[in-house]
Amino acid sequence: MSVQERKQRERADRERLIVATARELAEQQGWDAVTTRRLAERIEYSQPVLYSHFRGKREIIGAVALEGATEMASAVRAAASAADCPRTRVTALARTYLEFAERNPAVYDAMFQLDGGLAFAHEDTPQPLKDAFAALLESLGDVAGDDVHPGLFTEVFWAALHGLATLTRAGRLPPEDTDRRVKLLVDRLARA
């Protein structure tokens, strides 16, 4: 291995450590607790080293969001692939999405609530975000109906899931009714 390759590997390792530490700290104490100073202390590097990877907290949030999008896409695809028909696939997708949001609140916030400097629904949208949307579209496109654009249907279904996740987490909806809400959402929106 060349010196350059070793340096690149070490840099990538440091970057992963910064993102993992930020994510851990945010999940434990919230995003307000994530500061470059605290991160530098936890990973035992100086703040200038942190700034050599990320210009600030906003970029760290963006990196966590991209990692979360990749994880969510993988979870949604795995759940959908285990289902045997379109309706079951959509139900599995909805439950998996809501479970992901519940298990990873700080990551979910990084993805959809906080400013991570990421563009959504544009040409320059990062690939992990496009892939997360594609993971939803793969299952939802089949149940959109003949007269509805699959992408538009996916946006509306995703918005409904996001609303359920956000309102449940905020205590505005009782969590014990989540399965009933998913069933209602699938029954009313999905045509399969």
Side-chain angles (χ1 to χ4, degrees):
M1 174 183 306
S2 73
V3 171
Q4 181 66 20
E5 289 171 330
R6 182 182 53 77
K7 285 182 179 184
Q8 287 175 341
R9 188 186 73 224
E10 288 171 355
R11 181 173 175 76
D13 288 345
R14 268 192 315 272
E15 201 163 290
R16 279 191 294 276
L17 177 62
I18 293 166
V19 171
T21 304
R23 183 175 173 167
E24 179 184 316
L25 189 56
E27 291 292 0
Q28 291 171 352
Q29 299 176 31
W31 279 104
D32 287 342
V34 179
T35 64
T36 54
R37 191 172 130 245
R38 287 187 82 186
L39 285 173
E41 288 170 3
R42 280 213 174 180
I43 64 172
E44 299 178 344
Y45 284 104
S46 67
Q47 282 183 293
V49 170
L50 260 164
Y51 285 116
S52 75
H53 291 275
F54 299 99
R55 286 182 288 204
K57 184 175 176 176
R58 181 178 187 218
E59 284 189 6
I60 294 169
I61 290 169
V64 170
L66 294 177
E67 190 176 271
T70 299
E71 292 171 9
M72 188 181 76
S74 177
V76 164
R77 283 189 174 110
S81 70
D84 58 357
C85 71
R87 185 180 262 352
T88 307
R89 205 169 18 259
V90 172
T91 301
L93 173 150
R95 285 188 178 131
T96 300
Y97 182 99
L98 294 172
E99 288 166 4
F100 180 88
E102 181 183 354
R103 276 193 325 272
N104 306 284
V107 173
Y108 192 81
D109 284 349
M111 292 168 65
F112 301 120
Q113 304 287 84
L114 302 174
D115 179 10
L118 304 173
F120 283 80
H122 291 96
E123 286 183 27
D124 60 342
T125 298
Q127 192 57 45
L129 298 179
K130 289 179 181 179
D131 191 48
F133 185 79
L136 298 174
L137 180 62
E138 290 162 10
S139 293
L140 294 170
D142 294 342
V143 297
D146 295 335
D147 57 338
V148 178
H149 186 277
L152 185 62
F153 179 79
T154 300
E155 290 171 350
V156 170
F157 201 92
W158 171 31
L161 289 175
H162 176 69
L164 290 174
T166 303
L167 292 170
T168 301
R169 184 165 149 213
R172 305 293 196 279
L173 297 175
E176 61 271 11
D177 291 332
T178 297
D179 285 340
R180 290 177 49 213
R181 285 188 201 94
V182 167
K183 183 179 181 340
L184 180 62
L185 182 63
V186 172
D187 288 348
R188 295 291 187 247
L189 289 182
R191 296 181 185 171

